[in-house]
Amino acid sequence: MIVAEAKPFAEVAGMIGGCRRLLVVACAGCTAVCGVGGVRQAGELAAALRIHFRLKGLELETEVTGVTRQCEPEFVGELAEAVARCGAVLSFGCGVGVQFVADRFAGVPVFPALNTRFAGGFTVSGAWEERCRLCGDCQLHLTGGICPLTRCAKGILNGPCGGVQDGRCEVGWDVPCAWMLIHERLAALGRTELLRPIRPPRNWAHTSAGPRRQGVSTDDSGK
Amino acid sequence: MTLESNLARLLREGHFAVTAEVGPPKGASADPLLQKAAALKGYVDAVNVTDCQTAVVRLSSIAAAVHLKAAGLEPVVQMTGRDRNRIAIQSDLLGAYSLGVRNLLCLTGDHQRFGNHPEARGVFDLDSIQMVAMVRRLGDPGEFLCGEPIRGERPRFFVGAVENPFAGPLEMRVRRLEKKIEAGAEFIQTQCVFDLERFRRFMAMVREHGLHRRGRILAGVTPLKSVRMARFMRDQVAGITIPDEVLARLENAADPAAAGVSLCVEQISELRKIEGVAGVHIMAIAWEQIVPEIVRRAGLYPRPAQ
Ligand code: SF4
């Protein structure tokens, strides 16, 4: 899933500066699951913002609501009346959600409450961790189910580099070297022969102009 | 302008090669570089010029190489994948070759996190192995990575890579070396050797796989200048191991710098005895002036004519 974190309060307060009425929209999708974008967090931030502005002698009205997923136009459409009432939106969606809200309500400023960080999950080490760079060319069958593009600090495809020590990555000793993990896992599976061929440079050419697309209504060939 | 790499020729003729390393300055004058180079002249067969090592901005390695060449030294240009994608690397290499550079060392590169611009976006479009393969193809059959033929002169570099025999299980290190050689690396410079015992085991495995015959292996050495430097390298520099007895020798010496030089000279003579070691690469970090003494005392002076 998409993992996000709350933006610093001062940054959010700064961006909504001139607003008098604000619709604060939670998302029940990924950002709620990773504990930053649910109705509770939206309500708490709304309250904090109101107090912040009141202390400055300014009045901010907030209305807190939520949608199932901000990355779907159908759900975003449910916000129409509230958006019309408030005239500005603070979104607790990921970067996708923020943009879908902005797309739907062209005349209304939309502000992000979160920093969208990566595609990952909650690991045994007790932290949210990136697991996929969304590169569009999955090679996990060759690397023991461990993604070097994501988990090696240099994205090396023929690793490990000469900096690994005691299984740790030279770029951060608190992180295991992805290539050591790959070696160990393939050794355990008796499949180290997968490591012999030289992996060629990645093909980054799969983007059409701008965002990647897929589906019936679009054409990825760029024609 | 020499057409062939002197380093390649010496190695092919079976000479025990000596290379050294210089870091370009952090300013826009080549003078500091040329001062270092003056000390090395006549004592080494080629000089590596680092490519913004430790991700700190410095005068470009290709420009530095051209300065060195004009001063009569043969440069080995280091090229990392940290700051350039495949387009920039190929373009810079055409330029380097056109300027007379013949030796190239391909590295993935130190991560920008430790440099003076940690906010920079790391490129890492190619890893070192992919870069080696790409560069060999530029020379023969003479095509770019995309497969398009090169027009006119092809850059036929003498292509090298690095290997660290001290990082992770030996067997895995040898396998990675094999991949570099399979990709086309013609020479290999290793991380500095302090743990001779482990290096001997590494070389035994290298010989088992016949890799020493396919790529020339230059063992890295570094003279330790002080106990502090030795401890720093052991504790802070990724991929370097310094055995306790090496450290103890420095600690017990009245003059640690002199002990460090003696140690380095002894290491070189031990390395020369190891079958498959084709030369040494002396990395005297910020201590280039000591290289002549090391080369002399190691019995490696004079160097064969260029
Ligand atoms: S130590 Fe391992 S994870 Fe870290 S950069 Fe090197 S190969 Fe990648």
Side-chain angles (χ1 to χ4, degrees), chain A residues 158 195-199, chain B residues 129-130 132-134 136-137 161 174-186 188 209 211 214-215:
Chain A
N158 296 280
L195 297 167
R196 288 191 70 92
I198 294 169
R199 298 284 161 224
Chain B
I129 291 175
Q130 294 163 342
V132 166
M134 177 181 81
R136 287 303 304 273
R137 281 178 55 199
V174 175
R175 185 183 293 147
R176 186 136 193 273
L177 174 63
E178 183 165 25
K179 267 178 111 164
K180 289 193 168 176
I181 288 174
E182 248 155 43
E186 298 165 277
I188 300 292
H209 290 76
L211 299 178
R214 296 167 64 198

Side-chain angles (χ1 to χ4, degrees), chain B residues 218-270:
Chain B
L218 277 62
V221 291
T222 288
L224 295 166
K225 206 174 178 177
S226 63
V227 174
R228 214 179 59 140
M229 172 190 174
R231 289 214 183 104
F232 176 81
M233 286 183 69
R234 183 192 62 184
D235 301 333
Q236 307 292 325
V237 182
I240 290 190
T241 44
I242 301 185
D244 291 343
E245 53 284 12
V246 170
L247 200 66
R249 246 184 86 179
L250 251 65
E251 282 166 344
N252 299 330
D255 181 349
V261 171
S262 298
L263 199 80
C264 186
V265 170
E266 287 163 34
Q267 280 165 339
I268 293 175
S269 76
E270 288 303 313

Side-chain angles (χ1 to χ4, degrees), chain A residues 149 152-167 169-175 177 179-180 183-184 192-204, chain B residues 86 108-111 113-114 123-130 133 145 163-164 166-169 172-173 175-176 178-180 182-184 191 234-241:
Chain A
L149 197 67
C152 162
K154 302 179 191 168
I156 293 172
L157 297 185
N158 296 280
C161 78
V164 51
Q165 231 161 32
D166 302 324
C169 172
E170 66 165 359
V171 183
W173 297 123
D174 55 333
V175 180
C177 166
W179 275 104
M180 288 300 297
H183 273 261
E184 280 158 18
T192 49
E193 78 285 352
L194 287 173
L195 297 167
R196 288 191 70 92
I198 294 169
R199 298 284 161 224
R202 269 201 45 88
N203 175 9
W204 294 104
Chain B
R86 60 194 81 180
T108 300
D110 298 322
H111 197 274
R113 179 171 175 192
F114 301 115
V123 178
F124 301 112
D125 186 25
L126 304 178
D127 63 32
S128 56
I129 291 175
Q130 294 163 342
L145 184 58
E163 186 47 64
N164 183 0
F166 309 101
M172 192 187 69
R173 271 353 301 182
R175 185 183 293 147
R176 186 136 193 273
E178 183 165 25
K179 267 178 111 164
K180 289 193 168 176
E182 248 155 43
Q191 179 62 281
R234 183 192 62 184
D235 301 333
Q236 307 292 325
V237 182
I240 290 190
T241 44

